């Protein structure tokens, strides 16, 4: 619902790059590390590059690396680069989705939840995800 497979793949790619910030990784290395097909990896790299979340270099010795510090990339940035804003219910993010916003109790009750989710995604950084991954890798 909130996190599509495509968003998950984008997060995996960004996490893989952030775990080795001083190294250029090629698409095959990224695909293998993330468990994603090469074509999907290439498409996501293009999307992430368009959003300036990654930098790409062509040719021998080329590859992909983070375009910003992990502390400057939010989960929201990755969502927006790879898919689209996700919602608890489409009526909360798609204007005039059903036309009942003003008279719908469910819409009104879900608005605070949507705000909480949006705030969460805007405040979780790639740096935090990396720290959590490192804890898991080292059994902490």
């Amino acid at each position: 619902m909130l996190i599509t497979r495509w968003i998950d793949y984008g997060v995996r790619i960004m996490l893989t790059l952030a775990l080795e910030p001083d190294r250029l990784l090629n698409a095959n290395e990224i695909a293998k590390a993330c468990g994603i097909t090469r074509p999907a990896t290439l498409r996501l790299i293009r999307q992430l590059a368009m959003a300036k979340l990654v930098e790409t270099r062509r040719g021998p010795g080329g590859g992909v690396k983070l375009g910003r510090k992990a502390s400057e990339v939010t989960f929201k940035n990755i969502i927006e680069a790879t898919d689209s804003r996700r919602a608890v219910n489409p009526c909360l993010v798609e204007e005039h989705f059903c036309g009942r916003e003003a008279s719908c109790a469910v819409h009104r009750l879900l608005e605070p939840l949507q705000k909480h989710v949006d705030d969460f995604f805007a405040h979780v950084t790639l740096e935090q995800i990396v720290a959590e991954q490192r804890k898991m890798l080292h059994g902490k």
Side-chain angles (χ1 to χ4, degrees):
M1 175 172 81
L2 293 175
I3 305 297
T4 64
R5 183 168 294 177
W6 206 247
I7 293 169
D8 178 59
Y9 288 171
V11 171
R12 288 186 208 181
I13 289 171
M14 293 297 291
L15 176 60
T16 298
L17 295 173
L19 286 167
E20 298 192 62
D22 299 325
R23 188 169 164 245
L24 285 170
L25 299 174
N26 67 44
N28 291 334
E29 292 172 308
I30 296 169
K32 184 177 179 183
C34 296
I36 307 170
T37 65
R38 187 173 190 280
T41 300
L42 291 170
R43 181 174 164 203
L44 281 158
I45 289 169
R46 278 192 300 277
Q47 288 176 259
L48 293 165
M50 285 176 45
K52 305 219 184 304
L53 297 180
V54 301
E55 292 179 10
T56 61
R57 293 188 190 152
R58 293 180 177 244
V64 183
K65 69 176 192 168
L66 289 182
R68 299 188 221 166
K69 294 178 187 176
S71 62
E72 298 172 355
V73 177
T74 66
F75 204 120
K76 181 181 177 188
N77 297 143
I78 300 168
I79 290 170
E80 290 172 346
T82 57
D83 203 333
S84 60
R85 184 169 175 217
R86 306 312 297 173
V88 174
N89 188 324
C91 70
L92 296 167
V93 295
E94 295 177 28
E95 197 171 329
H96 309 298
F97 178 76
C98 73
R100 299 185 52 194
E101 297 89 6
S103 63
C104 180
V106 173
H107 181 90
R108 184 171 292 177
L109 289 169
L110 291 178
E111 279 181 315
L113 175 59
Q114 184 65 50
K115 181 176 179 355
H116 181 72
V117 169
D118 290 343
D119 288 345
F120 176 82
F121 288 144
H123 289 93
V124 172
T125 66
L126 181 57
E127 181 177 56
Q128 291 171 292
I129 298 169
V130 168
E132 202 58 37
Q133 185 66 43
R134 287 193 171 126
K135 283 182 198 174
M136 293 175 69
L137 290 172
H138 301 298
K140 294 180 183 179

CSV table of all heavy atoms in Angstrom, one decimal, residues 6 53 60 91 118:
chain,number,residue,atom,x,y,z
A,6,TRP,N,8.7,-1.0,-6.3
A,6,TRP,CA,9.6,0.0,-7.0
A,6,TRP,C,10.3,0.9,-6.0
A,6,TRP,O,11.4,1.2,-6.1
A,6,TRP,CB,8.8,0.7,-8.0
A,6,TRP,CG,9.6,1.2,-9.2
A,6,TRP,CD1,9.9,2.5,-9.5
A,6,TRP,CD2,10.3,0.4,-10.1
A,6,TRP,NE1,10.7,2.5,-10.6
A,6,TRP,CE2,10.9,1.3,-11.0
A,6,TRP,CE3,10.3,-1.0,-10.4
A,6,TRP,CZ2,11.7,0.8,-12.1
A,6,TRP,CZ3,11.1,-1.4,-11.4
A,6,TRP,CH2,11.8,-0.5,-12.3
A,53,LEU,N,19.8,12.3,-6.9
A,53,LEU,CA,20.1,11.5,-5.7
A,53,LEU,C,21.4,10.6,-5.9
A,53,LEU,O,22.0,10.2,-5.0
A,53,LEU,CB,19.0,10.6,-5.3
A,53,LEU,CG,17.7,11.3,-4.9
A,53,LEU,CD1,16.6,10.3,-4.5
A,53,LEU,CD2,17.9,12.3,-3.8
A,60,PRO,N,35.0,3.2,-19.0
A,60,PRO,CA,35.8,2.4,-18.1
A,60,PRO,C,36.1,3.2,-16.8
A,60,PRO,O,36.3,4.4,-16.8
A,60,PRO,CB,37.1,2.3,-18.9
A,60,PRO,CG,36.8,2.6,-20.3
A,60,PRO,CD,35.6,3.5,-20.3
A,91,CYS,N,-7.7,9.3,-1.7
A,91,CYS,CA,-8.4,10.6,-1.5
A,91,CYS,C,-7.6,11.6,-0.7
A,91,CYS,O,-7.9,12.8,-0.8
A,91,CYS,CB,-9.8,10.3,-0.9
A,91,CYS,SG,-9.7,9.9,0.8
A,118,ASP,N,3.6,11.2,6.2
A,118,ASP,CA,4.3,12.1,5.3
A,118,ASP,C,5.5,12.7,6.2
A,118,ASP,O,6.6,12.8,5.7
A,118,ASP,CB,3.5,13.2,4.8
A,118,ASP,CG,2.5,12.8,3.8
A,118,ASP,OD1,2.6,11.7,3.2
A,118,ASP,OD2,1.5,13.5,3.5
